[in-house]
Amino acid sequence: MDEHTEVSVPRDFAARYGAGLDRGLSLGGGGIFFIAWMASYLHAISQRGLDLTTADRVVGTSAGSMVGTALMAGHLRRVDTELSWMAKLPKSVTARAMAAVPSPSQNRALELMLGAADAEPATVSALGHAALAAVPPSSKLMQRSVGFMVGAHRWPSPSLEITCVDAFTAERCVVSSTSGVSLLDAISASCAVPGFAPPHPIGDRRCMDGGMAGTGVHLDRVAGARRVLVLSLSGAEGISDGFATQASGSAARELADLADAGTEVLHRSPEAVTFEELMTPDSVPEALAMGRRQGAEDLELIREFWR
């Protein structure tokens, strides 16, 4: 990354970062379950002739950074196929994600993440410092896994943005093809869940999961766009908010703030999932089947919205 490139961008709906855009797409975070659900959901839609790569801006966070990349690179089928294969060998997925037995420092970071009920700078900084102090697998392991999954090593589109959080300063960072950051570095940072993976280098920063900024969707980045499709866990039966820096009720307020910015919003989520399933490879077959079914069912709704 060029030393003069600034990736820190404050969260601010009043800035109307999406003004002038016609179509926006926000893909949120949610572990391997949500990667599988989103990939199969979007693949079911694309198979039926609806092209969502016409989005003027695609904001990908954590799981959404991988699926957004696959979408814009034309690799949704690959991700769907890879996950179907991995689901038959769950131990291989676990080995790619983290150590079989988490270290005490990993557990401390995980516990702090789960207990973070707001996104105040002090809260995010404390979480970031715990992530920096943890001793999880090498960040190179995450990078290799990301490259294997998405099948892309270069930015597939200038419309793709990937979010992460500076683990030391707690700043929200937005990385794109113009940031001078490699695609795999951006995704690896966005997916660096505290305790699961170490904060990943973004220039001279060390960045963690983009969902650690009080939002899993970063809807301010598309505020002011004419219409935005949002895929997130919020609204799924079995998921409650108020953890991992997202305060209770914040997801609903963020959707409302986007609508208040004059943007037409369509929000879709999995039918049901429990928190325990999000990071479990055993949940992948159910997620894939659910995503395919819901994608087929939602096709006409999204086609009408996207036209």
Side-chain angles (χ1 to χ4, degrees), residues 15-304:
R16 294 177 60 83
Y17 295 123
L21 302 180
D22 183 27
R23 301 179 180 92
L25 176 62
S26 173
L27 305 177
I32 192 168
F33 176 95
F34 202 41
I35 292 174
W37 184 88
M38 283 192 290
S40 60
Y41 182 89
L42 293 173
H43 184 44
I45 290 170
S46 66
Q47 277 186 310
R48 291 164 172 80
L50 179 54
D51 183 11
L52 295 180
T53 66
T54 56
D56 300 295
R57 179 166 296 161
V58 178
V59 182
T61 299
S62 195
S65 70
M66 295 184 68
V67 177
T69 297
L71 170 69
M72 301 308 286
H75 292 169
L76 284 175
R77 182 176 182 179
R78 172 193 173 94
V79 175
D80 188 289
T81 301
E82 293 293 345
L83 284 168
S84 297
W85 176 79
M86 289 181 182
K88 299 174 183 178
L89 299 168
K91 289 184 178 179
S92 70
V93 180
T94 301
R96 292 176 185 275
M98 65 181 297
V101 179
S103 67
S105 60
Q106 283 181 272
N107 283 328
R108 284 194 294 271
L110 284 167
E111 290 170 4
L112 196 59
M113 176 193 70
L114 295 176
D118 60 62
E120 293 298 319
T123 301
V124 180
S125 289
L127 176 56
H129 296 169
L132 288 165
V135 188
S138 165
S139 61
K140 292 296 183 183
L141 176 61
M142 171 66 81
Q143 195 173 41
R144 288 196 299 270
S145 299
V146 164
F148 175 79
M149 179 68 72
V150 301
H153 291 78
R154 296 182 179 180
W155 287 89
S157 169
S159 66
L160 177 64
E161 293 187 348
I162 293 175
T163 67
C164 53
V165 178
D166 189 309
F168 185 75
T169 67
E171 295 171 285
R172 190 270 299 273
C173 297
V174 179
V175 186
S176 69
S177 61
T178 62
S179 300
V181 174
S182 80
L183 173 66
L184 297 188
D185 281 332
I187 300 174
S188 297
S190 190
C191 294
V193 178
F196 275 86
H200 194 84
I202 296 293
D204 63 353
R205 298 176 182 267
R206 295 296 180 272
C207 292
M208 60 182 174
D209 191 292
M212 302 300 109
T215 173
V217 284
H218 298 268
L219 296 184
D220 65 303
R221 291 299 303 163
V222 286
R226 190 162 76 90
R227 53 196 160 184
V228 172
L229 172 62
V230 181
L231 301 186
S232 76
L233 286 177
S234 174
E237 183 181 346
I239 291 292
S240 59
D241 54 6
F243 67 92
T245 76
Q246 297 184 47
S248 180
S250 62
R253 287 193 295 273
E254 191 170 1
L255 286 166
D257 286 342
L258 180 58
D260 288 344
T263 298
E264 186 180 359
V265 183
L266 178 60
H267 173 228
R268 311 305 293 165
S269 62
E271 292 170 339
V273 61
T274 64
F275 179 80
E276 291 75 19
E277 291 178 298
L278 295 181
M279 301 299 290
T280 304
D282 290 341
S283 69
V284 168
E286 176 189 5
L288 290 172
M290 187 186 302
R292 291 185 191 112
R293 183 179 68 256
Q294 287 187 255
E297 292 171 351
D298 288 352
L299 174 65
E300 294 309 319
L301 173 68
I302 295 176
R303 192 192 302 278
E304 178 64 21

